[in-house]
Amino acid sequence: MTAALAPLVAPGPELTTAELERYARHLALPGVGPEGQRRLAAARVLVVGAGGLGSPALLYLAAAGVGTIGIVDDDVVDTSNLQRQVIHGGSDVGRRKVDSARDAIADVNPHVRVVEHALRLDADTALDVLRGYDVVLDGADNFPTRYLVSDAAEVLGLPVVWGSIYRFQGQVSVFWGAPRFAVPDDVPLPGGAAPVGPGDGEGRGVTYRDVFPVPPPPGAAPDCATGGVFGAMCGTVGSVMATEAIKLVTGAGTTLLGRLAVYDALELSWRQLTVRADPTRDPVTALLPGDDAYAAFCGLAPATSGSKPVAGERDVAAHDAAALLGHDGAAPYLLDVREDWEAQVRPLPGSTLVPSGTFLTGDPAAALAALPTDRTVLVLCAVGARSARVADVARAAGIDARSVVGGVPALLDALAAPSPAT
């Protein structure tokens, strides 16, 4: 049974004349109307990530009249973002994404209050950031943040609109781990839908952990930089996320709670999968302890820092790799496993370019045979995912290979940084 839920937010003050004019097309809609618009004006919605999914979601939430929008992002706008992150423009390159998004929202709707959270969520900050919001939109591009957001929302009893994209496919769902009261008798629902709580009468509702109880092995799910993403598809999936948030706030329609919608852009098809809470899973009542606990849970424990890599480790921090390159003696061998076009855009001087597919598919023996065995091989890609997989293959062949965390950009920044005073 799909879930028709009680409106999430109580109506705010009566609308002004200017607001009545701005939201006229909403006011005529059954299920929204003036009262629903007042609920939107009183709502507090948090968007995690001002990237491909966050961009259209933020713009449509602002245009819809959501009163307070929080934005979580610690990144700056890069030229490669502009292909899909439509809330940012060419003049925003180098700016903090939260600042760029704030200015775009102000231009779309000056009635919206924007709260900037220029940070990367972790176990120390997540509960404080999410607390006080009515609904969370999770457009994060990494698994540790997705599990963290899900756990924090379950602890706080908040619904999460989750979206994900990869290449030509997207997924959207609504997760809500805490029980909620049914719709009061005096609240009409469109289409005579039956009011239920998020657990559909069966206890708690479904969460991200119910659908994805175990994260994929590191490198098994390439990021956008590695696998690519069809830019216009972000608008489709991000708009659905904004739609689900508006439905939760106003009580209009039936949400995706209990359903996972899968979009295929090449086929232009949607299909829906039924998802249910795992009755054997213990509810989340606290976050995993430790700053790096969620990274470790996803198999992405950070590299240790020191003057040089420790024997047996796969990863090395960018500043440690830069220090190794500056040492006298046998310098490490730089292996760039990006594609030709990536190296052309941002070259890595002194490196040998061999695309990762050479090592990961077919017969990698010749490529491995060309690598030195008498010194460390530093493997780099755009962000660190492909290099980690190549490093694993090389180490299995007896080569001292280390993946540089953060990839080519991190190493170039580390090499350009001034040496610490002695």
Side-chain angles (χ1 to χ4, degrees), residues 93-182:
V93 171
R95 297 182 69 199
R96 299 193 312 177
K97 287 186 178 179
V98 291
D99 295 335
S100 172
R102 175 204 61 208
D103 291 348
I105 289 172
D107 189 50
V108 168
N109 191 345
H111 299 288
V112 176
R113 172 176 173 257
V114 176
V115 180
E116 301 172 54
H117 303 279
L119 50 80
R120 179 171 290 272
L121 289 179
D122 57 31
D124 291 332
T125 62
L127 292 176
D128 289 336
V129 171
L130 270 64
R131 186 177 286 113
Y133 287 96
D134 300 304
V135 60
V136 180
L137 273 70
D138 180 9
D141 61 356
N142 63 87
F143 289 99
T145 301
R146 291 169 184 166
Y147 283 99
L148 173 63
V149 169
S150 177
D151 286 358
E154 185 170 355
V155 170
L156 297 171
L158 298 176
V160 177
V161 180
W162 169 78
S164 175
I165 51 176
Y166 177 62
R167 290 187 172 170
F168 299 99
Q169 188 179 91
Q171 299 178 339
V172 193
S173 191
V174 172
F175 300 127
W176 199 351
R180 182 165 172 80
F181 296 109

Side-chain angles (χ1 to χ4, degrees), residues 6 41 47 117 180 196 219 223 289 417:
V47 178
H117 303 279
R180 182 165 172 80
V196 297
D223 57 22

Side-chain angles (χ1 to χ4, degrees), residues 324 327-332 374-375:
L324 282 174
H327 284 173
D328 295 332
D374 58 347
R375 51 180 168 151

Side-chain angles (χ1 to χ4, degrees), residues 332-383:
Y333 182 88
L334 283 179
L335 175 63
D336 185 349
V337 297
R338 297 175 297 169
E339 298 299 315
D340 292 343
W341 65 266
E342 294 177 277
Q344 183 177 350
V345 172
R346 194 164 193 177
L348 179 61
S351 65
T352 299
L353 180 66
V354 184
S356 60
T358 307
F359 295 94
L360 302 177
T361 60
D363 183 6
L368 290 170
L371 298 180
T373 57
D374 58 347
R375 51 180 168 151
T376 299
V377 175
L378 297 179
V379 190
L380 299 102
C381 63
V383 293

Side-chain angles (χ1 to χ4, degrees), residues 40-391:
L40 288 170
R44 295 173 53 87
V45 177
L46 180 69
V47 178
V48 179
L53 294 177
S55 289
L58 285 165
L59 291 172
Y60 275 107
L61 290 171
V66 171
T68 299
I69 298 177
I71 309 172
V72 179
D73 204 304
D74 69 338
D75 202 1
V76 299
V77 180
D78 182 81
T79 301
S80 65
N81 300 149
L82 303 181
Q83 165 253 10
R84 64 199 179 281
Q85 299 181 16
V86 294
I87 203 167
H88 313 295
S91 62
D92 296 314
V93 171
R95 297 182 69 199
R96 299 193 312 177
K97 287 186 178 179
V98 291
D99 295 335
S100 172
R102 175 204 61 208
D103 291 348
I105 289 172
D107 189 50
V108 168
N109 191 345
H111 299 288
V112 176
R113 172 176 173 257
V114 176
V115 180
E116 301 172 54
H117 303 279
L119 50 80
R120 179 171 290 272
L121 289 179
D122 57 31
D124 291 332
T125 62
L127 292 176
D128 289 336
V129 171
L130 270 64
R131 186 177 286 113
Y133 287 96
D134 300 304
V135 60
V136 180
L137 273 70
D138 180 9
D141 61 356
N142 63 87
F143 289 99
T145 301
R146 291 169 184 166
Y147 283 99
L148 173 63
V149 169
S150 177
D151 286 358
E154 185 170 355
V155 170
L156 297 171
L158 298 176
V160 177
V161 180
W162 169 78
S164 175
I165 51 176
Y166 177 62
R167 290 187 172 170
F168 299 99
Q169 188 179 91
Q171 299 178 339
V172 193
S173 191
V174 172
F175 300 127
W176 199 351
R180 182 165 172 80
F181 296 109
V183 181
D185 293 337
D186 58 348
V187 177
L189 288 172
V196 297
D200 197 12
E202 301 175 357
R204 65 175 180 81
V206 65
T207 73
Y208 183 80
R209 281 189 178 272
D210 292 307
V211 182
F212 305 101
V214 179
D223 57 22
C224 292
T226 304
V229 62
F230 194 41
M233 186 183 65
C234 298
T236 303
V237 176
S239 296
V240 172
M241 294 174 68
T243 299
E244 290 300 300
I246 292 170
K247 287 159 58 179
L248 285 166
V249 169
T250 62
T254 56
T255 73
L256 279 173
L257 184 62
R259 294 178 290 161
L260 177 67
V262 181
Y263 175 63
D264 188 313
L266 291 183
E267 294 183 355
L268 194 57
S269 65
W270 284 94
R271 58 192 178 99
Q272 295 185 16
L273 309 175
T274 299
V275 291
R276 300 186 183 277
D278 179 359
T280 67
R281 182 180 70 82
D282 293 331
V284 175
T285 57
L287 302 185
L288 298 178
D291 292 344
D292 302 319
Y294 283 88
F297 172 72
C298 295
L300 302 172
T304 59
S305 113
S307 60
K308 60 188 299 183
V310 177
E313 291 182 354
R314 181 190 67 181
D315 299 333
V316 57
H319 61 84
D320 290 335
L324 282 174
L325 291 169
H327 284 173
D328 295 332
Y333 182 88
L334 283 179
L335 175 63
D336 185 349
V337 297
R338 297 175 297 169
E339 298 299 315
D340 292 343
W341 65 266
E342 294 177 277
Q344 183 177 350
V345 172
R346 194 164 193 177
L348 179 61
S351 65
T352 299
L353 180 66
V354 184
S356 60
T358 307
F359 295 94
L360 302 177
T361 60
D363 183 6
L368 290 170
L371 298 180
T373 57
D374 58 347
R375 51 180 168 151
T376 299
V377 175
L378 297 179
V379 190
L380 299 102
C381 63
V383 293
R386 285 170 288 178
S387 60
R389 297 197 295 275
V390 171

